[in-house]
């Protein structure tokens, strides 16, 4: 539905451009049409001499329609050229972000010129350096440059899972100024590109889901080894969409107060690391239960006084 609305808006904008660029087809007085034409011709070099406010508004509407058509067509082209892999999506998001900024800046300057504001005189009086400092463009430039380096150096792409300042989440958007990260709870962290430092990209390589489980001290570890060798290979076929390898028994991790701690690992995608750990815990519990391997738990001893 949203896509249909976008195409409908583009069609309406094209119709407006055709009508407004040919004011003679409108049922308007000849003098007014002449005024519109003069305003259109004078506004092209960003200088307006005509004082007819309504004519200026007509030309302003034409300008907005033209810019909407151009940006909509460019968005369609960028989305069509973007591939389905992470790299293509990342570059397309960057181009769309740049397009939005350019549209706003060019549109604002052009609109002021059509309404009769001498933009060139304003820029000359303020000076380029004063304009940059006045709008705080120094941080903007730093964010943009950093964002370009992040993308073209391939530090991370859209869809990658990264850890930034103890915040773990998936990169959902990369713009010329900011990067948006979403965690498993749906919370968003929006960070300026220039503030992104010392991040971890967890999607470059596969990850390990690691878990531990205790068995009672009187358990025969040789029997545990035999049971695990028989049952662990079956788990990969049981969860083909979750486990990338056969779960592995790594050995004794520790000798705890209540039992012997055993350690397990399995290769997974970073996005599935927590789900795989939960599933591996369940699998190990079911294997031990089926083979009468006791998993200890804290017990409270109560002594009754005589």
């Amino acid at each position: 539905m949203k896509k249909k609305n976008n195409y409908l808006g583009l069609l309406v904008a094209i119709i407006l451009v055709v009508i407004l660029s040919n004011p003679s087809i409108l049922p308007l007085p000849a003098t007014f049409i002449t005024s519109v034409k003069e305003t259109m011709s004078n506004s092209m070099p960003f200088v307006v001499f005509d004082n007819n406010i309504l004519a200026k508004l007509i030309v302003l509407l034409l300008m907005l329609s033209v810019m909407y058509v151009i940006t909509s067509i460019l968005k369609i082209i960028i989305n069509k050229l973007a591939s389905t892999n992470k790299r293509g999506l990342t570059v397309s998001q960057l181009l769309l972000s740049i397009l939005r900024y350019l549209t706003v800046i060019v549109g604002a300057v052009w609109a002021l010129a059509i309404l009769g504001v001498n933009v060139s005189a304003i820029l000359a009086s303020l000076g380029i350096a004063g304009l940059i400092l006045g709008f705080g463009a120094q941080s903007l430039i730093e964010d943009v440059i950093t964002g370009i380096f992040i993308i073209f150096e391939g530090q991370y792409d859209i869809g990658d899972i990264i850890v930034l300042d103890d915040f773990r989440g998936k990169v959902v958007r990369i713009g010329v100024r900011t990067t948006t990260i979403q965690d498993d709870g749906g919370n968003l962290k929006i960070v300026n590109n220039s503030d992104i430092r010392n991040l971890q990209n967890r999607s470059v390589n596969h990850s390990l889901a690691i878990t531990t489980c205790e068995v009672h001290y009187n358990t025969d570890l040789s029997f545990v080894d035999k049971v695990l060798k028989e049952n662990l290979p079956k788990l990969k076929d049981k969860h083909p969409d979750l486990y990338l390898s056969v779960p592995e028994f790594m050995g004794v991790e520790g000798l705890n107060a209540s039992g012997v701690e055993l350690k397990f690992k399995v290769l997974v995608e970073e996005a599935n690391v927590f789900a795989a750990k939960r599933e591996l815990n369940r699998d190990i519990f079911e294997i031990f239960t089926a083979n009468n391997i006791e998993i200890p738990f804290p017990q409270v001893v109560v002594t009754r006084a005589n």
Side-chain angles (χ1 to χ4, degrees):
M1 181 64 67
K2 183 177 180 181
K3 190 173 183 180
K4 290 182 179 179
N5 291 335
N6 291 337
Y7 284 123
L8 180 61
L10 178 60
L11 178 61
V12 172
I14 292 176
I15 294 174
L16 283 174
V17 171
V18 173
I19 294 176
L20 296 176
S21 60
N22 297 276
S24 57
I25 66 177
L26 298 173
L28 298 173
T31 55
F32 181 76
I33 294 176
T34 302
S35 177
V36 172
K37 288 183 177 181
E38 290 178 357
T39 305
M40 289 173 58
S41 61
N42 291 332
S43 65
M44 294 309 293
F46 297 153
V47 179
V48 178
F49 299 99
D50 188 79
N51 292 322
N52 192 319
I53 299 299
L54 189 56
K56 293 178 182 179
L57 294 177
I58 292 291
V59 177
L60 180 61
L61 182 59
L62 173 61
M63 181 273 292
L64 294 176
S65 301
V66 170
M67 293 199 66
Y68 183 83
V69 170
I70 294 174
T71 54
S72 297
I73 293 175
L74 290 177
K75 286 180 181 178
I76 293 173
I77 293 174
I78 292 173
N79 290 326
K80 292 294 183 182
L81 294 179
S83 58
T84 56
N85 58 44
K86 294 180 180 179
R87 196 64 179 164
L89 291 174
T90 302
V91 174
S92 66
Q93 284 287 333
L94 175 65
L95 293 177
L96 289 174
S97 181
I98 294 174
L99 180 62
R100 282 191 291 268
Y101 277 96
L102 288 178
T103 301
V104 172
I105 294 173
V106 174
V109 173
W110 198 355
L112 290 174
I114 290 175
L115 294 175
V117 178
N118 194 335
V119 180
S120 300
I122 293 177
L123 293 177
S125 62
L126 292 178
I128 299 299
L131 187 64
I132 292 176
L133 294 176
F135 285 94
Q138 185 174 357
S139 61
L140 170 63
I141 294 174
E142 185 179 357
D143 290 334
V144 171
I145 293 175
T146 305
I148 292 174
F149 276 109
I150 287 173
I151 291 174
F152 287 100
E153 288 180 0
Q155 296 181 17
Y156 55 82
D157 293 317
I158 290 179
D160 285 351
I161 295 177
I162 65 175
V163 178
L164 179 65
D165 298 332
D166 297 327
F167 187 93
R168 177 186 181 275
K170 179 186 293 185
V171 178
V172 295
R173 184 177 179 275
I174 301 177
V176 293
R177 284 208 62 192
T178 61
T179 293
T180 304
I181 312 168
Q182 184 177 36
D183 66 6
D184 294 334
N187 302 304
L188 295 178
K189 183 180 180 71
I190 302 175
V191 190
N192 285 355
N193 291 331
S194 59
D195 293 332
I196 296 177
R197 297 178 179 87
N198 302 322
L199 67 89
Q200 298 179 36
N201 190 338
R202 305 297 295 272
S203 297
V204 175
N205 300 311
H206 295 311
S207 301
L208 288 174
I210 299 176
T211 189
T212 59
C213 179
E214 291 186 2
V215 295
H216 202 276
Y217 271 107
N218 60 9
T219 303
D220 183 359
L221 293 183
S222 299
F223 176 69
V224 174
D225 285 335
K226 180 181 177 182
V227 170
L228 293 175
K229 286 180 180 178
E230 291 176 356
N231 290 275
L232 288 181
K234 302 176 184 178
L235 299 181
K236 188 175 186 301
D237 296 331
K238 183 181 178 182
H239 307 288
D241 57 337
L242 197 59
Y243 298 160
L244 299 179
S245 66
V246 173
E248 180 182 346
F249 171 46
M250 302 176 66
V252 176
E253 178 69 11
L255 303 175
N256 300 334
S258 58
V260 180
E261 184 179 18
L262 309 180
K263 190 173 185 178
F264 301 84
K265 69 176 182 179
V266 62
L267 193 67
V268 297
E269 296 285 353
E270 174 62 25
N272 299 327
V273 66
F274 296 118
K277 181 178 179 179
R278 292 190 294 267
E279 201 62 42
L280 186 58
N281 285 333
R282 175 172 180 154
D283 291 335
I284 294 171
F285 174 77
E286 292 177 348
I287 292 173
F288 283 3
T289 302
N291 290 274
N292 298 318
I293 298 175
E294 184 179 355
I295 299 176
F297 56 90
Q299 301 184 27
V300 178
V301 178
V302 179
T303 303
R304 178 181 296 179
N306 295 329

